[in-house]
């Protein structure tokens, strides 16, 4: 019998790659699709799978729509990826962030429990929960200290998932994923902002790149690798919690150097530090220890930061070159 999966956040970076992976594995894939005035299907279109997934009108803040989505999709696996996921916005819309990224997960868990507690559940937890880090390398046992309304909302969702596993014996897992990027990354996140700028500057369509804290360090991996870890978690006998990371951390500054060097430029010639992009509270450094995911899931990151960033710059070079002349920078 065909396996069926439901993805919330299917139009996001991870949702699109996960949908592609599950389709390749023969799943029937449905996605919860919130109404938006503008086009949000570009990622599914870029992957050529827009017509292969069933989009079901719904929103994670609306329990009734989730109950309907579960009934219509007949999903045996639910991946909760929906979130207000941009940390910078979380201070400007803290309540919305809490409702979507925190309570939204509780709604999906409730919908699963009420529909069929045998459904397997994945929660998109995050290294942002480590925030002000309490250990040099963060693993599943490292205490959390979130530094943003986003991290706090995600921590609520994380513990709700663990609580539903312990209270109702749900097959519920959390993936504590460190930053992962791709050519499908939203333009507001720093890697894509940098790779897009490198492409525009190389093609004479932009002059400078304005950034905030370039000394911040992140453990960056490739989103295409990370969605495979999500799927592997739901194939285990029991739900559990896993850190997914590369085990290498790099400054924003060095990531800029890699991106600009790929198109023959020096980032220092174009970079302007703009306090507008500093955050009220910063996560200075993240570095994950993915040993458990390696041992239990047989998962390892296969894409280096250099491969990732050059892949993103190449994609942006093609996009920028294909734009009609006069298109403004994002
Ligand atoms: P993303 O590109 O920002 O995608 C977020 C998705 O959530 C979009 O499809 C968005 O739909 C959807 N969404 C927003 N509000 C919704 C609502 N009220 N109801 C239903 N859907 C809603 O994020 P991502 O990078 O793919 O990340 C996927 C998940 O992993 C997120 O939960 C994120 O917090 C988490 N995470 C990401 C990373 C990372 O480095 N990428 C690391 C750790 C954890 P619209 O496009 O229509 O708004
Ligand atoms: N976005 C952005 N824009 N970040 C900047 C800029 C800028 O102009 N200048 C410096 N940075 C720094 C941020 O201050 C942060 O320290 C770092 O670059 C990474 O920022 P983002 O790419 O926005 O990612 P994030 O680490 O805040 O959050 C992402 O990763 C989390 C996992 O750790 C998001 O994908 C979250 O949803 C995810 O949970």
């Amino acid at each position: 019998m065909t396996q069926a999966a439901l993805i919330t956040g299917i139009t996001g970076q991870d949702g699109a790659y996960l949908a592609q992976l599950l389709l390749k594995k023969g799943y029937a894939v449905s996605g919860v699709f919130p109404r938006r005035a503008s086009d949000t299907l570009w990622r599914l279109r870029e992957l050529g799978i827009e017509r292969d997934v069933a989009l079901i009108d719904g929103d994670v803040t609306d329990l009734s729509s989730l109950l309907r989505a579960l009934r219509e999709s007949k999903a045996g696996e639910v991946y909760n990826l929906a979130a207000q996921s941009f940390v910078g916005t979380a201070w400007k819309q803290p309540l919305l962030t809490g409702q979507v990224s925190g309570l939204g997960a509780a709604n999906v868990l409730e919908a699963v429990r009420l529909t069929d507690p045998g459904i397997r559940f994945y929660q998109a937890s995050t290294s942002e929960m480590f925030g002000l880090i309490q250990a040099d390398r963060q693993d599943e046992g490292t205490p959390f200290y979130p530094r943003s309304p986003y991290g706090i909302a995600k921590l609520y969702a994380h513990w709700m998932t663990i609580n539903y596993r312990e209270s109702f014996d749900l097959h519920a897992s959390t993936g504590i994923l460190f930053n992962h990027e791709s050519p499908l990354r939203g333009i507001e996140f720093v890697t894509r902002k940098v790779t897009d700028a490198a492409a525009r500057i190389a093609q004479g369509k932009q002059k400078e790149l304005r950034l905030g804290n370039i000394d911040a360090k992140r453990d960056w991996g490739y989103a295409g690798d990370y969605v495979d870890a999500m799927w592997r978690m739901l194939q285990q006998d029991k739900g559990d919690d896993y850190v997914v990371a590369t085990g290498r951390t790099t400054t924003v500054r060095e990531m800029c150097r890699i991106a600009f060097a790929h198109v023959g430029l020096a980032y220092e010639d174009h970079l302007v530090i703009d306090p507008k992009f500093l955050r009220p509270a910063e996560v200075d450094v993240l570095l994950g220890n993915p040993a458990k995911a390696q041992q239990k899931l047989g998962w390892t990151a296969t894409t280096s930061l250099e491969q990732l960033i050059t892949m993103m710059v190449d994609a942006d070079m093609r996009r920028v070159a294909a734009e009609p002349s006069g298109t403004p920078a994002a």
Side-chain angles (χ1 to χ4, degrees):
M1 207 177 89
T2 309
Q3 282 186 289
L6 179 68
I7 304 173
T8 73
I10 194 167
T11 56
Q13 170 188 257
D14 292 7
Y17 283 118
L18 179 64
Q20 184 184 47
L21 178 84
L22 296 177
L23 287 168
K24 277 190 192 143
K25 291 186 184 294
Y27 282 69
V29 178
S30 302
V32 173
F33 186 51
R35 205 196 104 67
R36 302 280 189 253
S38 57
D39 173 33
T40 55
L41 294 176
W42 66 274
R43 295 184 174 94
L44 297 174
R45 206 174 296 129
E46 272 207 23
L47 296 181
I49 58 171
E50 187 188 0
R51 292 171 201 284
D52 302 331
V53 297
L55 297 175
I56 302 173
D57 287 353
D59 191 296
V60 292
T61 61
D62 180 348
L63 176 63
S64 64
S65 72
L66 297 171
L67 291 167
R68 189 170 44 76
L70 280 171
R71 201 172 57 240
E72 281 181 25
S73 64
K74 300 187 174 60
E77 295 178 13
V78 173
Y79 296 85
N80 182 40
L81 309 186
Q84 187 306 94
S85 79
F86 184 48
V87 174
T89 290
W91 283 277
K92 293 169 187 151
Q93 299 187 321
L95 303 182
L96 176 104
T97 301
Q99 276 157 8
V100 176
S101 310
L103 278 174
N107 281 330
V108 183
L109 280 162
E110 266 299 90
V112 165
R113 185 180 72 83
L114 293 169
T115 303
D116 173 6
I119 294 171
R120 297 184 174 199
F121 175 84
Y122 172 84
Q123 169 58 21
S125 289
T126 164
S127 51
E128 182 74 13
M129 301 185 309
F130 293 121
L132 188 61
I133 53 166
Q134 304 293 299
D136 289 345
R137 290 186 87 201
Q138 301 90 53
D139 63 21
E140 295 78 5
T142 305
F144 299 115
Y145 192 137
R147 293 271 282 171
S148 65
Y150 166 78
I152 293 163
K154 282 285 187 176
L155 196 50
Y156 168 78
H158 180 78
W159 281 110
M160 282 298 278
T161 305
I162 293 170
N163 182 260
Y164 269 53
R165 183 166 77 219
E166 294 176 352
S167 306
F168 304 117
D169 205 23
L170 286 194
H171 190 298
S173 291
T174 68
I176 306 172
L177 270 53
F178 283 61
N179 298 48
H180 46 280
E181 322 291 312
S182 74
L184 300 186
R185 189 57 146 151
I187 198 80
E188 63 274 39
F189 299 94
V190 76
T191 52
R192 182 75 205 294
K193 184 174 172 182
V194 168
T195 62
D196 175 73
R200 285 180 191 285
I201 292 168
Q203 295 184 35
K205 294 185 174 173
Q206 187 173 320
K207 288 205 162 33
E208 60 182 31
L209 165 63
R210 303 184 85 86
L211 293 178
N213 176 16
I214 60 170
D215 295 317
K217 296 174 93 174
R218 289 293 182 275
D219 179 331
W220 278 297
Y222 171 48
D225 290 343
Y226 284 40
V227 296
D228 176 50
M230 299 176 188
W231 175 79
R232 287 177 189 239
M233 286 175 214
L234 296 208
Q235 312 318 307
Q236 304 304 302
D237 291 340
K238 286 181 173 243
D240 204 342
D241 311 304
Y242 301 90
V243 158
V244 176
T246 69
R248 169 187 170 194
T249 193
T250 311
T251 58
V252 171
R253 182 194 302 274
E254 171 62 8
M255 182 270 293
C256 287
R257 192 197 61 73
I258 297 169
F260 277 70
H262 187 56
V263 288
L265 298 171
Y267 77 94
E268 302 94 321
D269 296 341
H270 306 279
L271 184 63
V272 177
I273 301 298
D274 187 338
K276 189 171 95 181
F277 296 108
L278 297 175
R279 292 174 176 176
E282 177 63 295
V283 172
D284 293 319
V285 55
L286 291 171
L287 172 60
N289 175 0
K292 179 176 173 183
Q294 276 164 9
Q295 280 159 18
K296 300 233 160 124
L297 305 177
W299 180 89
T300 42
T302 62
T303 312
S304 72
L305 181 64
E306 288 74 10
Q307 289 169 324
L308 170 65
I309 295 300
T310 55
M311 180 202 319
M312 291 174 69
V313 173
D314 288 343
D316 281 323
M317 286 293 278
R318 286 191 295 274
R319 285 184 182 124
V320 172
E323 281 173 358
S325 56
T327 307

